[in-house]
Amino acid sequence: MSAPTGTVGTPYEYPVERGKIREFAIAAQSEAPEYFGPGAVIPPTFLTTASRWAPDGARVQVGFEQSRTLHGDQEYVFHGPPPRAGAMLYATERLAGRYEKAGRRGGTMRFAVVVTEFRDASGALVAESRATLIETAKPATAPTEESR
Amino acid sequence: MTGTVPSSRSAATDVDVRPSLDAPAVGFSPAPRVFGPLTRQMFVRYAGASGDMNPMHYDEFVATAAGYPSVFSQGMHQAALLATFATDWLGPSNVRRFQVRFREQVWPGDVLACAGVVTAVEERPDGVLVTVDLTCTRQTGGVAVSGGADFLLPR
């Protein structure tokens, strides 16, 4: 089952937690004080933790075969300073696009772009995540970044 | 935490890693930061921090059964290390865009060098928008992750 372009997942709450920021910054081997205070700011790739808050139905199903799926590209855009500890964000996934390319060794590579919008309580767009997933033409020899 | 930070860090920190209010010029490149040799413990720590519990990154049995020589690092782990390099340089609160493309797998024992170069500087009403290219390179010379970022530096 492959969702069509434009499919939107169920919105969900995503609390930005100080302890999680600290844990993430340590895993990222950062000592920047901005990540460790009471008003800690999130590291640039921290929003990857949001999906752990996603309930059933919140994630868009791209329908790719897992053993052939790669995480090809990832982008985060912040429409202002990045969120800080204590913020409550509201996340919504959207299947933003699909396209195909010919594989280097024949066959067809399929691409899906999944955008997650992060809004505050007023509805203002705070940040966006844009993940490009690739289904290779043959079984992947490189890692599956995330199970989708 | 300090046990995981390479000694090259302190030298780089004093020179040019902290954000400067002077906008860097196009072509400027700070000292790269070296991470590693990477350990399985680092992969586990990232798995827990991110919530990506794919066992391919910490369970040797699962990884070898799938045909890999060993566990390997999460692509998003390399992305997080590259982001650390970028925000140590230009400031965690200043980031406005961060993008990565995953290119090569990273293995236990790998040593990664994260580097960047300024590609554009634009005056804006609210600050100076600095665009940088970023790369995370393995000890083999292979590029594990490449990408770019925008930082809005306050005046």
Side-chain angles (χ1 to χ4, degrees), chain A residues 42-140:
Chain A
I42 66 167
T45 63
F46 179 83
L47 294 174
T48 190
T49 65
S51 60
R52 309 310 141 185
W53 289 87
D56 289 347
R59 306 211 68 190
V60 171
Q61 301 300 313
V62 299
F64 290 173
E65 186 183 309
Q66 190 181 328
S67 66
R68 291 194 286 143
T69 302
L70 307 176
H71 190 180
D73 191 287
Q74 178 66 48
E75 182 177 49
Y76 296 99
V77 174
F78 301 97
H79 299 282
R84 294 181 177 276
M88 177 64 84
L89 300 178
Y90 300 86
T92 309
E93 274 198 12
R94 180 178 82 249
L95 183 56
R98 289 184 183 277
Y99 54 98
E100 295 183 349
K101 288 182 185 175
R104 284 192 196 129
R105 296 179 296 274
T108 301
M109 296 167 67
R110 297 201 295 163
F111 294 74
V113 179
V114 178
V115 171
T116 307
E117 290 186 352
F118 297 89
R119 294 178 182 271
D120 65 17
S122 76
L125 188 59
V126 172
E128 291 168 273
S129 157
R130 175 176 293 262
T132 303
L133 305 172
I134 306 170
E135 187 187 53
T136 59
K138 294 175 180 175

Side-chain angles (χ1 to χ4, degrees), chain B residues 48-84:
Chain B
S50 68
D52 175 2
M53 298 310 290
N54 185 340
M56 212 66 87
H57 304 301
Y58 53 83
D59 188 325
E60 209 73 30
F61 295 105
V62 171
T64 54
Y68 296 101
S70 74
V71 297
F72 49 90
S73 183
Q74 302 91 344
M76 286 294 287
H77 179 215
Q78 283 79 264
L81 298 176
L82 191 57
T84 288

